[in-house]
Every structure is written in C-alpha cells, then in structure tokens.
Amino acid sequence: MAVVTRTVAEDEAGMRLDRWFKVHYPDLSFGHLQKLVRTGQVRVDGGRVKTSSRVEPGQSVRIPPLGLEEPEAAAAPAKGARSGEAGKDGARAASAETGATPSATPPAKPRASKDPAVRKLEEDRAFIKSITLFEDKDVMVLNKPFGLAVQGGSGTYRHVDGLLEALKDRDGQKPRLVHRIDKDTSGCLLIAKSRLAASVLAKSFRSREARKVYWAVVPGVPKPRQGRISTYLARDEDEEKMRVARHGEDEASHAITYYAVVDQAAQKMSWLSLKPVTGRTHQLRAHLAHIHHPILGDPKYFDIENWELPGGLQNRLHLLARRLVIPHPRGNGVIDVSAPLPQHMAQTFAVLGFDASQYDPILEAPEG
C-alpha cells in the first residue's frame, strides 16, 4: 500500500483521529497508529496531529503504508433492503419494560433463501429489528446485547456496524453509528439513518446536549453516596485499558463522571446511577475502579483481591446504558429511550432485592 490521501466526509465532523482510523482501518492497532502519528507519518492538511485531534469535513488525511489489506469495497445493497418506520411528527419517547430480556434474543427466522448471502442479510435485518427500541425515518435506538461489539477489529467479525450493512438503501447508504459503547455493556445505542441526522446528532454529543444515564452494580457502598469523579485518563501501555493520568501527560484527556447510590444490599453491593459528562474510552469502568468500587464482572478493571462472587450472580459486566435523551435531529422535540436490564443484571437485581420499576433514572440521576 502506497501513501494515500483521504478526505474527511461531512458526517465525520468532529470525529477524533483515532476513531476516524478505527472506522476506515479497523485492523490497525492503536499502538501502531500512535507510532505513525508520533513520527509525523500521519498528517492532516499537511500538519502534525495527535490521536486525540478532531477532524473536520474537507480536511485531507495523509495515510502512510499501514501493512494492512485494502478495505473491501462496500457490498451492493440487498434488493428491497429497507428499515421500517415508526412514530409520527417528531420523536416519541420509547421505553422498554424494566423486565429482563435475554442478551441476544433470537429473532423470528426469516423466509429461507437459496442464496446464502441474501439469507444472511435477511437474518441480520431480522436481528436488528428484534433489538430496536425506537425508530423513525431519521434515527434508530438499539438495545445492544451484552457481548456484541459495536465496531469490528482484530478477531471481531460480528458487530453492529457490520449488521447495519443489511439496512443499506437503494443508493448504497447504510445507517451510521453516532457513538459507541463497550462490547460487554448492554443498552441504548443511537444510530443515524442519514448523513444529516449523523452530523446533527454528533454535534449534540460534542456540545453535551445528549443526556446519558448508566446503571451499574458494584461491591461495597461508595462514600459519599453521591459524588463527582474528575481525573485525567490515558491509555495504558498494554493498550488494553485506561489508567488515571496526570494533567499534561501525553494523550491524557480530562474525564468527569457523576454518580449516585440508588440502593444497596447491606454494605456488600450497591446499585449506582452514573452520568458521564465526558465520553472517554472505558471512562465509567476506570473511574469506578479508581474510587475502589469496580463494576461487578469487569474483566479489565475489577481488582479487589480475594473477593468472591456471591452465589446466584453471573460474572459478567454489570453495566447498562439505561437511558438516552437527545434533541431530535430535525428539531421535533426529543428522543427519550430506556433499555431493559439484560438477563444477567436482572438476575442480580432479583437476588439482591433491587426494584428497577420504582426508579426513574433521569429524575433521580446526579446532575452534571
């Protein structure tokens, strides 16, 4: 692969450079990208940048040889691939029951097709429909299951971005991711169905107009019961997790999280409501580990020695993107969607006696 130059698209306005590379070159590791950026091999409009720099439409990104296979051309749209529409004038609030749903509820099987490629598109469309919490002509909100990645990467072949290929329109345009949540985090994931919607919604996230509330279960009871966590976060050297960093440290970004204890089981476990003000990688997971209350089932950040999982609980990440409130991209009110507890968290709530139906995550959440 020779040196190439790519132009930033309209719907990529404000995207971080590392995320831009992740979208276009998903197999490129962050460590490799850091080296290319640090040595000046990657440039934007001829100037040196950082991985945290944000790109704007029309800018030219210089891409040196990466040692990767060229990304394949987008597949042709499936004939008749259309998503359904719901809602009337403006966005409607869509809220799922607080009762649990399986992490990946099998959708009804579509009519069999002799062509394997067509059959796969039909199955992917049916699966997306089965996890859709809200949809209109501009946006979709999905209830992303535990264990399903949002984007592809090394060794990841099934992910939301790939499944959206099944919803391409006749012009070959597919719905676009507006933000990301971790593979093992369940809950609300916002999807834009047009370039316009993607651009407007991305600006809402950058300007912090979007209100996000997460639920988590942690060991112990944080003190104070309601508080603010403010640190700098940087990627750890092993490139697998984030660490608390010093102000001014290379690649360190400021991160702010508000939390509140909603309920507790004696002094052993707590149910927390979390409101991230910023949106850093693994922010909630790193912040809760920093205050010595790591999220239950977190394989990267749970570091309490000799801690035993209580009987009846599953060792899975107990983090739910519970509710999302964001202005509609056409100015028609707000999109207000809640996701149900995934099966493993519902089981934990039942064992610990937490009652999700008695709690409103927006009204009672800590203020940013």
Side-chain angles (χ1 to χ4, degrees), residues 72-130:
E72 297 181 3
K79 193 172 184 179
R82 297 176 57 196
S83 57
E85 294 185 357
K88 298 183 180 178
D89 295 335
R92 293 185 302 166
S95 206
E97 294 296 328
T98 54
T101 56
S103 293
T105 305
K109 290 187 177 181
R111 187 173 56 187
S113 169
K114 294 181 180 180
D115 186 335
V118 173
R119 183 165 64 247
K120 181 180 182 304
L121 288 174
E122 292 173 345
E123 291 171 351
D124 288 350
R125 277 198 298 275
F127 176 73
I128 289 291
K129 183 177 180 180
S130 75

Coordinates of all heavy atoms in Angstrom, one line a residue, residues 72-130:
E72 N -12.2 -3.6 1.7 CA -13.0 -4.1 0.6 C -14.1 -3.0 0.3 O -14.6 -2.3 1.1 CB -13.7 -5.4 0.9 CG -12.7 -6.5 1.2 CD -13.4 -7.8 1.5 OE1 -14.7 -7.8 1.4 OE2 -12.7 -8.8 1.7
A73 N -14.4 -3.0 -1.0 CA -15.5 -2.1 -1.4 C -16.8 -2.5 -0.8 O -17.0 -3.7 -0.5 CB -15.6 -2.1 -3.0
A74 N -17.6 -1.5 -0.5 CA -18.9 -1.8 0.1 C -19.7 -2.7 -0.7 O -19.8 -2.6 -1.9 CB -19.6 -0.5 0.3
A75 N -20.4 -3.6 -0.1 CA -21.2 -4.6 -0.8 C -22.4 -3.9 -1.4 O -22.9 -2.9 -0.9 CB -21.7 -5.7 0.2
A76 N -22.9 -4.4 -2.5 CA -24.1 -3.8 -3.1 C -25.3 -4.0 -2.2 O -25.4 -5.0 -1.5 CB -24.4 -4.5 -4.5
P77 N -26.2 -3.0 -2.2 CA -27.3 -3.1 -1.3 C -28.2 -4.3 -1.7 O -28.4 -4.6 -2.8 CB -28.0 -1.8 -1.5 CG -27.6 -1.3 -2.8 CD -26.2 -1.8 -3.0
A78 N -28.8 -4.9 -0.6 CA -29.7 -6.0 -0.9 C -31.0 -5.4 -1.5 O -31.5 -4.4 -1.1 CB -30.0 -6.7 0.4
K79 N -31.5 -6.1 -2.5 CA -32.7 -5.7 -3.1 C -33.9 -5.6 -2.1 O -34.2 -6.6 -1.5 CB -33.1 -6.6 -4.3 CG -34.1 -6.0 -5.2 CD -34.2 -6.9 -6.5 CE -35.2 -6.3 -7.5 NZ -35.3 -7.1 -8.7
G80 N -34.5 -4.4 -2.0 CA -35.6 -4.3 -1.1 C -35.2 -4.1 0.3 O -36.1 -4.3 1.2
A81 N -33.9 -3.9 0.6 CA -33.5 -3.7 2.0 C -33.9 -2.4 2.5 O -33.4 -1.4 2.2 CB -32.0 -3.8 2.1
R82 N -35.0 -2.4 3.3 CA -35.5 -1.1 3.9 C -35.8 -1.4 5.3 O -36.2 -2.4 5.7 CB -36.7 -0.6 3.1 CG -36.5 -0.3 1.7 CD -37.8 0.1 1.0 NE -38.5 1.2 1.8 CZ -39.7 1.5 1.6 NH1 -40.5 0.8 0.8 NH2 -40.2 2.5 2.3
S83 N -35.6 -0.3 6.1 CA -36.0 -0.5 7.5 C -37.4 0.1 7.7 O -37.8 1.0 7.0 CB -35.0 0.3 8.4 OG -34.9 1.6 8.0
G84 N -38.1 -0.4 8.6 CA -39.4 0.1 8.9 C -39.4 1.5 9.5 O -38.4 1.9 10.0
E85 N -40.5 2.1 9.6 CA -40.6 3.5 10.2 C -41.6 3.4 11.3 O -42.6 2.7 11.2 CB -40.9 4.5 9.2 CG -39.9 4.7 8.1 CD -40.2 5.9 7.2 OE1 -41.3 6.5 7.4 OE2 -39.4 6.2 6.3
A86 N -41.3 4.2 12.3 CA -42.3 4.3 13.4 C -42.3 5.7 13.9 O -41.4 6.5 13.6 CB -41.8 3.4 14.6
G87 N -43.4 6.1 14.5 CA -43.5 7.4 15.0 C -44.2 8.3 14.0 O -44.4 8.0 12.9
K88 N -44.7 9.5 14.5 CA -45.4 10.5 13.7 C -44.5 11.7 13.7 O -43.3 11.7 13.6 CB -46.8 10.7 14.2 CG -47.6 9.3 14.1 CD -49.0 9.6 14.6 CE -49.8 8.3 14.5 NZ -51.2 8.5 14.9
D89 N -45.2 12.9 13.7 CA -44.5 14.2 13.7 C -43.6 14.2 15.0 O -44.1 14.2 16.1 CB -45.4 15.4 13.6 CG -46.2 15.4 12.3 OD1 -45.7 14.8 11.3 OD2 -47.3 16.0 12.3
G90 N -42.3 14.4 14.8 CA -41.4 14.5 15.9 C -41.1 13.1 16.5 O -41.6 12.1 16.1
A91 N -40.1 13.1 17.4 CA -39.7 11.9 18.0 C -40.6 11.6 19.2 O -41.1 12.4 19.9 CB -38.3 12.0 18.5
R92 N -40.9 10.3 19.4 CA -41.7 9.8 20.5 C -40.8 9.2 21.5 O -39.8 8.5 21.2 CB -42.7 8.8 20.1 CG -43.8 9.4 19.2 CD -44.8 8.4 18.9 NE -44.2 7.2 18.3 CZ -44.9 6.0 18.2 NH1 -46.1 5.9 18.6 NH2 -44.3 5.0 17.5
A93 N -41.1 9.4 22.8 CA -40.4 8.6 23.8 C -40.7 7.2 23.7 O -41.8 6.8 23.4 CB -40.8 9.1 25.2
A94 N -39.6 6.3 23.8 CA -39.8 4.9 23.6 C -39.1 4.3 24.8 O -37.9 4.4 25.0 CB -39.2 4.4 22.3
S95 N -39.8 3.5 25.6 CA -39.3 3.0 26.8 C -39.6 1.5 26.9 O -40.8 1.1 26.7 CB -39.9 3.7 28.0 OG -39.1 3.7 29.1
A96 N -38.6 0.6 27.1 CA -38.9 -0.8 27.2 C -39.2 -1.1 28.7 O -39.0 -0.4 29.6 CB -37.6 -1.6 26.8
E97 N -39.9 -2.3 28.9 CA -40.2 -2.7 30.2 C -39.0 -3.0 31.0 O -37.9 -3.3 30.4 CB -41.1 -4.0 30.1 CG -42.4 -3.8 29.5 CD -43.3 -2.9 30.3 OE1 -43.2 -2.8 31.5 OE2 -44.1 -2.2 29.7
T98 N -39.0 -2.8 32.3 CA -37.8 -3.0 33.1 C -37.5 -4.5 33.3 O -36.4 -4.8 33.7 CB -37.9 -2.3 34.4 OG1 -39.1 -2.8 35.1 CG2 -37.9 -0.8 34.3
G99 N -38.4 -5.3 32.9 CA -38.1 -6.8 33.0 C -37.0 -7.1 32.0 O -36.8 -6.5 31.0
A100 N -36.3 -8.2 32.4 CA -35.1 -8.6 31.6 C -35.4 -9.2 30.2 O -36.5 -9.8 30.1 CB -34.2 -9.6 32.3
T101 N -34.5 -9.0 29.3 CA -34.6 -9.7 28.0 C -33.3 -10.5 27.9 O -32.3 -10.0 28.4 CB -34.8 -8.8 26.9 OG1 -33.7 -7.8 26.9 CG2 -36.1 -8.0 26.9
P102 N -33.3 -11.6 27.2 CA -32.0 -12.3 27.0 C -31.0 -11.4 26.3 O -31.4 -10.5 25.6 CB -32.4 -13.5 26.1 CG -33.9 -13.7 26.4 CD -34.4 -12.3 26.6
S103 N -29.7 -11.7 26.5 CA -28.7 -10.9 25.9 C -28.8 -10.8 24.4 O -28.4 -9.9 23.8 CB -27.3 -11.4 26.3 OG -27.1 -11.3 27.7
A104 N -29.2 -11.9 23.8 CA -29.4 -11.8 22.3 C -30.6 -12.7 22.0 O -30.5 -13.8 21.6 CB -28.1 -12.4 21.6
T105 N -31.7 -12.1 22.1 CA -33.0 -12.9 21.9 C -33.1 -13.3 20.4 O -33.0 -12.4 19.5 CB -34.2 -12.0 22.2 OG1 -34.1 -11.6 23.6 CG2 -35.5 -12.8 22.1
P106 N -33.2 -14.6 20.1 CA -33.3 -15.0 18.7 C -34.5 -14.4 18.1 O -35.6 -14.6 18.5 CB -33.3 -16.5 18.8 CG -32.9 -16.9 20.2 CD -33.3 -15.7 21.1
P107 N -34.3 -13.7 16.9 CA -35.5 -13.2 16.2 C -36.2 -14.3 15.5 O -35.7 -15.4 15.3 CB -34.9 -12.2 15.2 CG -33.5 -12.7 15.0 CD -33.1 -13.4 16.3
A108 N -37.4 -14.0 15.0 CA -38.1 -15.0 14.2 C -37.4 -15.2 12.9 O -36.8 -14.3 12.3 CB -39.5 -14.4 13.9
K109 N -37.3 -16.5 12.5 CA -36.5 -16.8 11.4 C -37.2 -16.2 10.1 O -38.3 -16.5 9.9 CB -36.3 -18.3 11.2 CG -35.4 -18.9 12.3 CD -35.1 -20.3 12.0 CE -34.1 -20.9 13.1 NZ -33.8 -22.3 12.8
P110 N -36.4 -15.5 9.3 CA -36.9 -15.0 8.0 C -37.2 -16.1 7.0 O -36.6 -17.2 7.2 CB -35.9 -14.0 7.5 CG -34.6 -14.5 8.1 CD -35.0 -15.1 9.4
R111 N -37.9 -15.9 6.0 CA -38.2 -16.9 5.0 C -36.9 -17.3 4.4 O -36.0 -16.5 4.0 CB -39.1 -16.3 3.9 CG -39.6 -17.3 2.9 CD -40.6 -16.7 2.0 NE -40.0 -15.5 1.3 CZ -40.8 -14.7 0.6 NH1 -42.1 -14.9 0.4 NH2 -40.2 -13.6 0.0
A112 N -36.7 -18.6 4.2 CA -35.5 -19.2 3.7 C -35.2 -18.7 2.3 O -36.1 -18.6 1.5 CB -35.5 -20.7 3.8
S113 N -33.9 -18.5 2.0 CA -33.5 -18.1 0.7 C -32.4 -19.1 0.2 O -31.6 -19.6 1.0 CB -32.9 -16.7 0.7 OG -32.3 -16.4 -0.5
K114 N -32.4 -19.4 -1.0 CA -31.4 -20.3 -1.6 C -30.0 -19.6 -1.6 O -29.0 -20.3 -1.4 CB -31.8 -20.8 -3.0 CG -33.0 -21.6 -3.0 CD -33.3 -22.0 -4.4 CE -34.6 -22.9 -4.5 NZ -34.9 -23.3 -5.8
D115 N -29.9 -18.3 -1.8 CA -28.7 -17.6 -1.8 C -28.2 -17.3 -0.4 O -28.8 -16.6 0.4 CB -28.8 -16.3 -2.6 CG -27.5 -15.6 -2.8 OD1 -26.6 -15.8 -2.0 OD2 -27.4 -14.8 -3.8
P116 N -27.0 -17.9 0.0 CA -26.5 -17.7 1.4 C -26.3 -16.2 1.7 O -26.6 -15.8 2.9 CB -25.2 -18.5 1.4 CG -25.3 -19.5 0.3 CD -26.2 -18.8 -0.7
A117 N -25.8 -15.4 0.8 CA -25.6 -14.0 1.0 C -26.9 -13.3 1.3 O -27.0 -12.4 2.2 CB -24.9 -13.4 -0.1
V118 N -27.9 -13.6 0.5 CA -29.2 -12.9 0.7 C -29.8 -13.4 2.0 O -30.4 -12.6 2.8 CB -30.2 -13.3 -0.5 CG1 -31.6 -12.8 -0.2 CG2 -29.6 -12.7 -1.8
R119 N -29.7 -14.7 2.3 CA -30.2 -15.2 3.6 C -29.6 -14.5 4.8 O -30.2 -14.2 5.8 CB -30.0 -16.7 3.6 CG -30.6 -17.4 4.9 CD -30.7 -18.9 4.7 NE -29.4 -19.5 4.7 CZ -29.0 -20.1 3.6 NH1 -29.7 -20.2 2.5 NH2 -27.8 -20.7 3.6
K120 N -28.2 -14.3 4.7 CA -27.6 -13.6 5.8 C -28.1 -12.2 6.0 O -28.3 -11.8 7.1 CB -26.1 -13.6 5.6 CG -25.3 -12.9 6.7 CD -23.8 -12.9 6.4 CE -23.0 -12.3 7.6 NZ -23.5 -10.9 7.9
L121 N -28.3 -11.5 4.9 CA -28.9 -10.1 5.0 C -30.3 -10.2 5.7 O -30.6 -9.3 6.5 CB -28.9 -9.5 3.6 CG -27.6 -9.1 3.0 CD1 -27.8 -8.6 1.6 CD2 -26.9 -8.0 3.8
E122 N -31.1 -11.1 5.3 CA -32.4 -11.2 5.9 C -32.3 -11.5 7.3 O -33.1 -11.0 8.1 CB -33.2 -12.4 5.1 CG -33.5 -12.0 3.7 CD -34.1 -13.2 3.0 OE1 -34.0 -14.4 3.5 OE2 -34.7 -13.0 1.9
E123 N -31.4 -12.4 7.7 CA -31.3 -12.7 9.2 C -30.7 -11.5 9.9 O -31.2 -11.3 11.1 CB -30.3 -13.9 9.3 CG -30.8 -15.2 8.8 CD -29.8 -16.3 8.8 OE1 -28.6 -16.0 9.0 OE2 -30.2 -17.5 8.5
D124 N -29.8 -10.8 9.4 CA -29.3 -9.6 10.0 C -30.4 -8.5 10.2 O -30.4 -7.9 11.3 CB -28.1 -9.0 9.3 CG -26.8 -9.9 9.4 OD1 -26.9 -10.9 10.2 OD2 -25.9 -9.6 8.6
R125 N -31.2 -8.4 9.2 CA -32.3 -7.4 9.3 C -33.3 -7.8 10.4 O -33.7 -7.0 11.1 CB -33.0 -7.3 7.9 CG -32.4 -6.3 6.9 CD -33.3 -5.9 5.9 NE -33.8 -7.0 5.0 CZ -33.1 -7.5 4.0 NH1 -32.0 -7.0 3.6 NH2 -33.6 -8.5 3.3
A126 N -33.6 -9.1 10.4 CA -34.5 -9.6 11.4 C -33.9 -9.4 12.8 O -34.6 -9.0 13.8 CB -34.8 -11.0 11.2
F127 N -32.6 -9.6 13.0 CA -32.0 -9.4 14.3 C -32.0 -8.0 14.7 O -32.4 -7.6 15.9 CB -30.6 -9.9 14.3 CG -29.8 -9.7 15.6 CD1 -30.1 -10.5 16.7 CD2 -28.9 -8.7 15.7 CE1 -29.5 -10.3 17.9 CE2 -28.2 -8.5 16.9 CZ -28.5 -9.3 18.0
I128 N -31.7 -7.1 13.8 CA -31.7 -5.6 14.1 C -33.1 -5.2 14.5 O -33.3 -4.5 15.5 CB -31.2 -4.8 12.9 CG1 -29.7 -5.0 12.7 CG2 -31.6 -3.3 13.1 CD1 -28.8 -4.4 13.8
K129 N -34.1 -5.7 13.8 CA -35.5 -5.4 14.2 C -35.8 -5.9 15.6 O -36.6 -5.2 16.3 CB -36.4 -6.0 13.1 CG -37.9 -5.6 13.4 CD -38.8 -6.2 12.3 CE -40.3 -5.8 12.5 NZ -41.2 -6.4 11.5
S130 N -35.3 -7.0 15.9 CA -35.6 -7.6 17.2 C -35.1 -6.8 18.4 O -35.5 -7.0 19.5 CB -35.2 -9.1 17.3 OG -33.8 -9.2 17.5

